[in-house]
Amino acid sequence: MTLQITPVLLVGGSGTRLWPLSRKSYPKQFAPLIGQETLFQASAKRLSGAAQGLDFTAPLTMTNSDFRFIVTEQLAEAGIDPGAILIEPEGRNTAPAVLAAALYLAARDPEAVMLVAPSDHVIPDSDAFRAAVRQGLSAVEQGQLVTFGITPDRPETGYGYLNLTAAPDGSGAAIPLERFVEKPDLATAEEMLKAGTYLWNAGIFLFRARDILAAFETHAPGLIGPVGRAVAEAETDLGFLRLAPAPWSEAEDISIDYAVMERARNLSVVPFAGAWSDLGGWDAVWREMGPDAEGVVTSGAASAIDCSNSLLRSDSERLQVVGIGLENTLVVAMNDAVLVADMTRAQDVKKAVEVLKEKGASQATHFPKDHRPWGWFESLVVGGRFQVKRIMVHPGASLSLQSHFHRSEHWIVVEGTARVTVDDEVKLVTENESVYIPLGAVHRMENPGKVPMVLIEVQTGSYVGEDDIVRYEDMYARGQGEKG
């Protein structure tokens, strides 16, 4: 018998240890860190379709308002039905997110089986992981909460551990959990590796909706009220379900481990001996990308000369990165920021974000390329009273009908065709043609074609911030302000 499982994808976070590629406005799961697929797309594909006695339904995604259109766009590119997408008004950690998903699913089927997974992990062998999920189902049918433990291959100090009641016997069967262990020091990690009864905590869970709800009622009853109201009072918005912000803000900011799992007595662990990484730092990316004989990994427009044990990466088409004689070094270049660090300090990269925040540097949290539901724009030059952008609009997409108080705009189409509205006039603007948008004019650009449309926008005025927008109509139902 094939049992249906609903993947619950957790899509949030800021990924500061992978700065400058991962930032609050566009975290690591949406980037093609390893290969051409993004981590989010790979996670969704891994938990889709029917195979090996498993049948995955369309996913339920927990994310925030800024990422909602990125989620749908990337799922569509991967050929996956987006399913239900629940919008968290603010980040409250994993316990409220998992509880909201369980309440949503239980209202439709209390027996629904949930597979809760972060969307930024690397698991190359999808078949092996599905086999591990299948092993966990027998424990789930007995009312167990199942988590997955990764067989360690080194004394890792960057992960939490799961202490099992017995060493895995190779069968893959679920084993009762003795206790959770926080990230250890090196000596303790070495002892746990030798013991054979400790696995890395992957933060992936499998259970029935009714069983996890019972666990919340027993161990974290204070979350039931505010999260329950947030789900009950949620509002539909263009196919998304926005959780009610007022009750959601009352929910404790706490992880599922602390709220429930560390207190539950019905927890079992399925060992997983396959390759796995949470890509928690650039050293993990270096490891996953497969260093050459000298221990060097290059990516994008990067070259290494007489280097060893180093990662050189350029994600900018305009920046060639060349390393000469480097040892144990991380170099990551973007259009607007470059990271250079000792490989042994990979976990300290988040300190760079803190320093930049103190300086008020936008690079701490935002990319020069900003993704929107209609496409993206990239700031090329910003001056005191002007800004130059490159804008890409998807086929059939449209920006909102809008006006500005403080700036005029000049658009030059360089690829495709734009349908442009300026007050009462609507006209087509093709490649090498331009149009002027006076200050205060009500305007809109659309892509009526079948290929992406790219234009260069020159803004001039006393203020060129993204919040100088008055929206009159918007096919994406955004409100006023920067993103709505």
Side-chain angles (χ1 to χ4, degrees):
M1 177 181 175
T2 299
L3 183 65
Q4 280 201 327
I5 300 174
T6 298
V8 177
L9 300 174
L10 305 180
V11 184
S14 55
T16 53
R17 286 179 294 178
L18 287 176
W19 184 89
L21 181 68
S22 178
R23 308 186 200 180
K24 183 179 179 181
S25 69
Y26 203 71
K28 64 179 179 178
Q29 59 261 35
F30 297 127
L33 262 168
I34 307 292
Q36 297 303 309
E37 278 185 333
T38 70
L39 299 179
F40 172 62
Q41 289 173 321
S43 298
K45 281 188 174 181
R46 185 164 55 247
L47 306 180
S48 65
Q52 297 180 309
L54 303 178
D55 182 12
F56 289 104
T57 71
L60 186 158
T61 303
M62 300 295 302
T63 190
N64 63 45
S65 185
D66 286 350
F67 300 155
R68 66 195 191 280
F69 291 111
I70 301 174
V71 164
T72 55
E73 180 181 326
Q74 292 205 352
L75 288 175
E77 289 175 354
I80 295 174
D81 179 348
I85 299 176
L86 275 58
I87 307 299
E88 301 176 63
E90 58 181 301
R92 307 302 291 170
N93 216 317
T94 53
V98 172
L99 177 55
L103 288 168
Y104 177 88
L105 291 173
R108 290 148 181 82
D109 178 11
E111 299 297 316
V113 177
M114 307 166 55
L115 179 59
V116 179
S119 60
D120 55 1
H121 289 186
V122 173
I123 304 177
D125 192 341
S126 294
D127 288 340
F129 181 72
R130 285 173 177 263
V133 172
R134 192 173 63 251
Q135 287 279 6
L137 287 176
S138 59
V140 168
E141 290 172 351
Q142 298 170 20
Q144 291 283 300
L145 308 178
V146 172
T147 186
F148 295 84
I150 310 302
T151 303
D153 59 6
R154 62 186 185 278
E156 177 61 56
T157 60
Y159 299 148
Y161 284 71
L162 303 169
N163 182 13
L164 310 185
T165 57
D169 60 8
S171 69
I175 303 170
L177 177 71
E178 179 69 32
R179 65 189 177 100
F180 285 82
V181 181
E182 296 290 342
K183 296 176 182 178
D185 57 32
L186 182 58
T188 303
E190 289 173 341
E191 292 175 2
M192 292 193 295
L193 183 63
K194 293 177 183 177
T197 56
Y198 293 84
L199 305 178
W200 291 335
N201 182 6
I204 303 172
F205 302 99
L206 181 70
F207 36 65
R208 287 182 299 207
R210 67 176 175 88
D211 293 329
I212 190 63
L213 289 179
F216 271 101
E217 289 170 357
T218 300
H219 304 294
L223 287 172
I224 298 290
V227 176
R229 293 195 304 275
V231 174
E233 300 169 15
E235 296 182 354
T236 302
D237 175 11
L238 288 180
F240 306 104
L241 187 68
R242 288 184 177 271
L243 302 179
W248 185 259
S249 67
E250 299 172 9
E252 183 181 2
D253 186 331
I254 187 171
S255 73
I256 186 71
D257 280 359
Y258 287 141
V260 174
M261 298 303 171
E262 292 188 3
R263 305 175 185 181
R265 296 296 90 198
N266 60 330
L267 195 63
S268 294
V269 181
V270 172
F272 179 67
W276 168 89
S277 176
D278 70 347
L279 292 186
W282 284 112
D283 54 340
V285 175
W286 169 81
R287 192 179 300 114
E288 288 298 316
M289 292 189 68
D292 64 17
E294 285 72 40
V296 173
V297 168
T298 59
S299 178
S303 304
I305 301 172
D306 297 330
C307 296
S308 63
N309 300 321
S310 296
L311 168 68
L312 286 80
R313 179 182 183 116
S314 176
D315 283 83
S316 169
E317 59 191 27
R318 301 197 293 266
L319 286 178
Q320 288 286 336
V321 171
V322 181
I324 302 176
L326 299 178
E327 295 182 8
N328 303 314
T329 304
L330 301 169
V331 181
V332 182
M334 305 289 292
N335 281 344
D336 63 336
V338 178
L339 168 70
V340 181
D342 187 283
M343 183 75 77
T344 63
R345 303 292 298 276
Q347 296 300 309
D348 291 332
V349 169
K350 59 185 177 182
K351 294 180 179 179
V353 178
E354 297 168 3
V355 169
L356 292 175
K357 283 182 178 178
E358 292 174 1
K359 290 183 175 181
S362 63
Q363 289 93 330
T365 56
H366 287 80
F367 279 107
K369 180 180 285 188
D370 200 326
H371 291 261
R372 297 297 172 92
W374 42 260
W376 51 261
F377 69 83
E378 180 179 20
S379 296
L380 303 177
V381 182
V382 181
R385 293 179 60 88
F386 73 93
Q387 180 172 203
V388 180
K389 290 181 178 180
R390 178 170 55 172
I391 298 175
M392 190 283 290
V393 183
H394 294 303
S398 169
L399 279 69
S400 60
L401 185 67
Q402 60 186 250
S403 66
H404 309 295
F405 287 116
H406 303 289
R407 68 175 185 257
S408 59
E409 297 172 343
H410 189 187
W411 298 341
I412 306 98
V413 176
V414 294
E415 294 180 29
T417 298
R419 179 188 292 122
V420 176
T421 299
V422 182
D423 290 329
D424 296 328
E425 182 182 7
V426 179
K427 64 179 180 179
L428 294 179
V429 182
T430 59
E431 291 183 13
N432 298 321
E433 294 182 339
S434 64
V435 62
Y436 176 66
I437 314 298
L439 186 150
V442 176
H443 61 281
R444 169 161 48 201
M445 75 171 76
E446 306 166 72
N447 181 357
K450 302 296 184 182
V451 298
M453 183 268 289
V454 179
L455 60 80
I456 301 300
E457 176 181 83
V458 180
Q459 303 175 351
T460 58
S462 59
Y463 179 73
V464 293
E466 288 304 313
D467 53 352
D468 179 22
I469 295 177
V470 178
R471 288 194 176 96
Y472 304 99
E473 296 176 7
D474 183 46
M475 65 187 296
Y476 308 106
R478 293 169 295 171
Q480 304 298 334
E482 184 175 348
K483 290 191 176 182

